Structure formats: C-alpha cells, structure tokens
Amino acid sequence: ARSRQWHFVVPSLDGDGLTKGSRVQALDLGWKVPHGTPMKPQIRHGGPFDDQKPGTSGLRKPTRTFCQPGYLEIFLQAIFEADPPGPAATLVVGGDGRHFAREAAVTACRMAFANGFQRVVVGQGGLLSTPAASALIRSREAHGGIILSASHNPGGPEGDFGVKYNTRGGGPAAPAVTDAIYQRTRELERWLTRDDIPVDLDAVGRTAFGDVVLQVVDPVTDWLELMQTQFDFDAIRELLSRPGFRMRFDAMNAAAGPYAHALFERCLGAPEGTVMRGVPLEDFGGIHPDPHPDGLVDLIATTRETQPVDFAAASDGDGDRNMILGPGVVVSPGDSLAILAAHADKIPAFRGRGLRGVARSLPTSRAVDRVARREGFDLYETPTGWKFFTSLLDSGRISLCGEESFGTGSDHIREKDGLWAVLFWLNLMAVTGQGVRGLVDAHWGRYGRDLFQRQDYEGLDLEIATALMDRLKASLEALRGITAGPFSVLKAESFCYTDPVDGSRALDQGVSITLDPDARITLRLSGTGTDGATLRVYLESFIPS
C-alpha cells in the first residue's frame, strides 16, 4: 500500500475491462419518440458492461476504459432509461475540460435528443464547473444534468475520466437512481443516438434541429450572476483594492480558471496575475488537480515570502473544492466550515435569516458541532457523498454543509462550490478587518481547536481491504473500554444513517471510534479511486480554548 497524508489519489495505469469486445452497428429507423418530437434516432449495439457501478460521486474509471467502444454510451443510455425525461424536458451537459470530455459532451447531446429531450443546454466548449452545472439545472428548471468530470482525479490519456448524473434541483442522483442506473448497465446491449445532428460546442447561441434545440451558453455568466446575490461585492472590491493587499488563486489548469479570471480580475478588480494556472488543460498540465499541499508548492510559497500574500486559495479539477491559506496557516476543511458557520450572519446570503442548520460528513472534524451547540442551530452528521446533503437542503433543514475533502456548500445550489467558499472568506475578511490567521486564532480562542489529520492507504487489493474492514466491524464490541496511552474507547460502531426526510437507510458507511479524552478515529473505504481500494483513516483530538 502507498501511504499519504491529507488527500492524494494515484491514477490507475492498469484499467480493467479493456479486453471486453463490443459490436458497433448503426440502423437508421424513422420513428417518433414520446411527446411527438420528430426524430430519426440511430440504434447502435454494444455492451452490456458489468463494471459500471457508480461510486460516491458518479462513475470514475481510467480514461482508456471510457474510450472503449460503447462504454460511455451504455452508461449514458442507462441514465436516460433509469430517469426518463418528461414532455419538453431540458438536459444540462458540461464538464471540467479533461481529455475525452469534449467528445463525450457531443455524444451526450446527441444521445439526449434521441432519448426524448427537447432541449440541451451545454457549456461553450463543453466546459462547466460542477457548481455551475448545478446552478444551470436549477435556473433552467432542467430535468437533470450530465457532468463529465472525475473531479480531483488526474486527467489525460493515462489519467481518469468520470460521468456524474445530477437530477432535478441540481443535486447528485440519489442512491435509488444510481442503483437503477447500474442495473440497466448490466442489461443494455444497445443505445440511441442522433449522429445526424451537427453539435457545435464553440458557437454560443441557440440552434434548432426540427423540434429540438441545442443551446450553447457561456459557462460563467449564470453562475457569476448568482454569486452577486450571495456576497457583498462592493466590500470585496474595497478589500482587494487596499494598498498592499495581495491575493493569489490557483486554478490548477482546471475548470475553475475561467470563472476565477472573470470573478477576481474582471469583476472584482484584482490585478492581472492574481489567478495562477487559469487556463484549463486536458491533462491539467501534468499535475494532480487536487487542493492538497503537495500539489500547491508555488501557491504556499507566496504565503511565506518576505512580503507574503494576505490571502491564497485553490480549487480542484471541476471547481467544487477549495483550500484556504494565509501567512503561516493552511485552514483545515473542518475549521473552515466551522468558521463560516460562526460568521454566517455577516454575508448577504444569510443575513436576516441565519442558519437553519448545518451538516457535515462523518469523517469531517467536529469543529462545527461545537459552534452548533453554542449558537443553537441543528447539526446533522451524514455519510460521505454530497447526495446526502441534498435531501437536507431540499427539505430546508440545513443552509450550510461541508466535508473533510475540502468541499463546502450551501443552499444556493445542490453541490459543493469552491469559489463560493473563497468569496465567503473574502467577504468575511472585508467586513471584520481580520486576516486568515486572525480569524482562525479567534475561532480557536472561542470554541477550542480540533486537531485533524487524514491518512490515505492507496492501491490496496479490494478483497484484502474489504476483509480488513469486516474484521474491524466484527471486533467493535471488544474495543469498548480498552485503553491505549492516555485514551480509552468510549464507543466503537459501524456508522449507519437514516435520512430524516424520507427514512432511507445507508448502512456500514465507515467505522467510528470515540475516545476519552475528547478524540475520535474514523476509518472508511473510499468510493472515488480507480486503482484498487483506498482506505482512509481520520484522526482528530480536541484542545479546549
């Protein structure tokens, strides 16, 4: 096993399923799909595939696995059949610009028309950050969205590719939907397409093909308009224009680059050069597009110069994660969520309405729990996966949520939003007059400090990793009451979750070991890797103020 702290995923170089054959034929049939839309879909044959079970956030595989004949198409067809469109339905399509994303976007558009969608809204060049895609699904009242991204996984021909399906409202598909998709992938031997439709991803505008419409949109516009309803842009402009104030944002050659250039340098007046690595590249310039200290050496160096930048931040491949830095400090994800929750009333998004509640994933540090207890709002602990937050957001139970892998979001969309979190920090600095270090120190002084570390063990044999977790779960009862050094085990359990909205259950979502004095160990197998299994171990310990 390979071991890393924080968060790092090694790309697969041994993609499976490459020997599976697929017949590819085309039959032109003149017919009408439901809702009376004149179509000439082509039926193509291939599949089925038995390795297309979605993980924590969609289906992720080595890029060359997705490039097999019919592999992408069977998964998309399964999506359209598991959640079929209604009359005059709209589909949003876009991705992070990694290798194969452009071709996949064209395929998704043509298949959507063949499967009954009347309108497809796609980002120019096939580009849409994950939060922007969620915002478009909501603003266009779309049936759903296809997001072509493997998030923070490496890109390029030898990297990874992914497809995620978001449903009405903009959130990731619920487990019942992804289970239905997986079942269909194991049965399908054909897909529908409209290869006769010339999909031009570069020309912004609306093009009709009979009764169906392709609308290519600027990927930034709608999202940027939404951000201006969330934050005090005048206050942030004033902060960025203060003499001597310096900021850097590292887009890591990924999807957040165009959004950051438009937001910080053009809209908020930051100097040109504020955004580093801001041009999306198909292989992310050979770097790992993950907000991890190991991949952000140049950005971290700007906080250690003789005249360090006052504020630095980074995002990931599809723009939904964030890392916040200041001189001498990298803010942990749990602390960031807790600090934002403690100061929510200071930004327009929450001013006058406060927080209905906050949710965090099981492995995320309990820093926000302490804020919730003192400030009197509800706190929910969920399994890892943004889909579990979506149910709470849709029901109005929470306004803010976050997870330990640098994901933060709110009820403005149904996804995590990296630049939204960066704007929150800037807005907070503008109105409090404090820097990153000052806000962190003040928070620890009021609520105490939760030390936190994550250790990843990657490339494990899946059977061995599963057996390890099974043995651990079988020994939980025996762990209670034992001591190790200064700690004793108060509770050891396999985390199971009951959704308070619909009563659905998610079993065995990780092992949680609670210690005395106030500390915790959490272990879980990750669902986002593509090379064997990844075991994540989370360690946390509380230091009172």
Side-chain angles (χ1 to χ4, degrees):
R2 297 179 294 277
S3 173
R4 291 293 294 269
Q5 291 183 11
W6 289 84
H7 186 230
F8 190 83
V9 180
V10 176
S12 170
L13 297 179
D14 304 304
D16 55 3
L18 293 179
T19 60
K20 183 180 300 218
S22 296
R23 295 185 299 120
V24 180
Q25 300 177 350
L27 298 175
D28 286 338
L29 301 175
W31 64 353
K32 281 192 173 185
V33 297
H35 326 311
T37 304
M39 304 288 281
K40 275 192 175 181
Q42 294 87 48
I43 300 177
R44 297 192 184 278
H45 294 276
F49 296 93
D50 60 7
D51 63 343
Q52 294 191 338
K53 184 175 179 61
T56 304
S57 188
L59 179 67
R60 295 181 188 175
K61 296 286 181 181
T63 303
R64 59 190 183 190
T65 299
F66 263 103
C67 290
Q68 295 177 86
Y71 194 88
L72 168 69
E73 291 86 348
I74 287 294
F75 190 69
L76 291 175
Q77 186 67 36
I79 290 173
F80 298 143
E81 295 190 13
D83 188 21
T90 296
L91 182 73
V92 170
V93 175
D96 60 15
R98 68 179 60 225
H99 183 78
F100 190 56
R102 188 181 181 90
E103 300 94 315
V106 172
T107 297
C109 292
R110 289 172 171 165
M111 288 186 62
F113 289 135
N115 279 277
F117 284 93
Q118 185 173 4
R119 182 173 68 153
V120 174
V121 178
V122 59
Q124 185 180 25
L127 188 73
L128 273 179
S129 73
T130 291
S134 180
L136 269 178
I137 293 170
R138 293 172 64 80
S139 65
R140 305 302 171 97
E141 298 182 343
H143 177 83
I146 302 294
I147 300 175
L148 304 164
S149 170
S151 188
H152 56 285
N153 290 23
E158 299 302 320
D160 295 337
F161 191 78
V163 177
K164 184 170 70 168
Y165 179 55
N166 284 33
T167 53
R168 304 166 190 81
V177 176
T178 56
D179 288 346
I181 293 170
Y182 176 52
Q183 184 59 39
R184 290 300 292 142
T185 65
R186 303 175 70 186
E187 302 164 349
L188 283 170
E189 296 183 354
R190 59 94 183 102
W191 66 90
L192 305 181
T193 185
R194 285 292 311 276
D195 287 344
D196 58 306
I197 292 181
V199 176
D200 181 358
L201 297 178
D202 296 317
V204 172
R206 179 182 182 276
T207 307
F209 304 97
D211 289 345
V212 300
V213 174
L214 177 70
Q215 186 171 4
V216 179
V217 299
D218 181 287
V220 176
T221 301
D222 286 50
W223 176 87
L224 185 56
E225 290 176 355
L226 177 60
M227 290 304 100
Q228 294 179 70
T229 70
Q230 297 283 300
F231 302 103
D232 186 341
F233 271 39
D234 288 337
I236 298 173
R237 285 191 189 96
E238 191 276 329
L239 172 70
L240 296 179
S241 67
R242 290 176 189 172
F245 186 90
R246 300 175 65 212
M247 171 189 168
R248 290 290 184 275
F249 177 83
D250 193 340
M252 305 193 79
N253 302 318
Y259 296 85
H261 279 300
L263 174 65
F264 298 125
E265 296 178 352
R266 293 197 289 273
C267 184
L268 292 172
E272 184 177 346
T274 294
V275 178
M276 304 165 56
R277 297 191 286 192
V279 177
L281 302 175
E282 287 194 352
D283 65 349
F284 306 116
I287 67 171
H288 189 170
D290 188 16
H292 179 290
D294 283 358
L296 295 167
V297 176
D298 291 342
L299 182 67
I300 292 173
T302 67
T303 68
R304 296 173 176 170
E305 297 169 349
T306 304
Q307 293 183 316
V309 300
D310 300 275
F311 178 81
S315 188
D316 69 329
D318 62 335
D320 63 355
R321 300 178 187 225
N322 71 95
M323 186 168 75
I324 305 298
L325 308 93
V329 59
V330 176
V331 184
S332 77
D335 278 348
S336 182
L337 177 63
I339 290 168
L340 300 189
H343 294 279
D345 62 336
K346 294 182 175 64
I347 69 166
F350 301 118
R351 191 175 297 143
R353 68 181 180 108
L355 294 178
R356 296 170 180 170
V358 173
R360 62 161 176 81
S361 62
L362 167 71
T364 304
S365 86
R366 297 162 298 165
V368 73
D369 301 33
R370 308 180 199 285
V371 178
R373 283 196 296 269
R374 179 171 291 196
E375 307 304 331
F377 53 78
D378 293 334
L379 188 285
Y380 297 86
E381 182 180 60
T382 74
T384 295
W386 211 262
K387 54 183 173 282
F388 296 104
F389 293 148
T390 298
S391 176
L392 299 172
L393 290 164
D394 286 343
S395 68
R397 283 172 166 79
I398 63 171
S399 311
L400 183 67
C401 46
E403 57 188 17
E404 52 75 31
S405 56
F406 294 100
T408 316
S410 81
D411 54 7
H412 71 292
I413 56 172
R414 295 298 181 267
E415 282 282 1
K416 46 188 174 283
D417 191 340
L419 285 171
W420 181 91
V422 173
L423 282 169
F424 198 142
W425 272 89
L426 287 171
N427 202 156
L428 190 55
M429 293 169 63
V431 299
T432 63
Q434 293 180 289
V436 176
R437 179 92 241 184
L439 287 165
V440 171
D441 287 343
H443 183 85
W444 290 343
R446 178 173 174 81
Y447 298 99
R449 180 179 182 183
D450 286 83
L451 300 176
F452 180 83
Q453 185 183 83
R454 167 172 148 181
Q455 189 82 16
D456 291 350
Y457 297 90
E458 300 163 329
L460 300 172
D461 180 276
L462 180 59
E463 289 188 8
I464 293 174
T466 302
L468 182 151
M469 291 298 293
D470 288 343
R471 289 197 300 271
L472 178 59
K473 285 182 280 189
S475 67
L476 292 177
E477 187 66 35
L479 289 177
R480 296 186 182 101
I482 70 169
T483 60
F487 297 103
S488 60
V489 177
L490 290 178
K491 183 171 65 174
E493 60 183 353
S494 177
F495 181 65
C496 299
Y497 178 71
T498 300
D499 190 299
V501 181
D502 60 17
S504 60
R505 296 272 288 165
L507 306 178
D508 296 326
Q509 296 295 303
V511 168
S512 178
I513 302 170
T514 305
L515 308 173
D516 180 36
D518 199 345
R520 190 174 65 149
I521 303 170
T522 305
L523 304 93
R524 59 178 286 270
L525 293 179
S526 171
T528 60
T530 61
D531 181 17
T534 298
L535 174 66
R536 305 202 196 283
V537 181
Y538 310 84
L539 309 171
E540 57 182 296
S541 182
F542 178 63
I543 301 176
S545 57

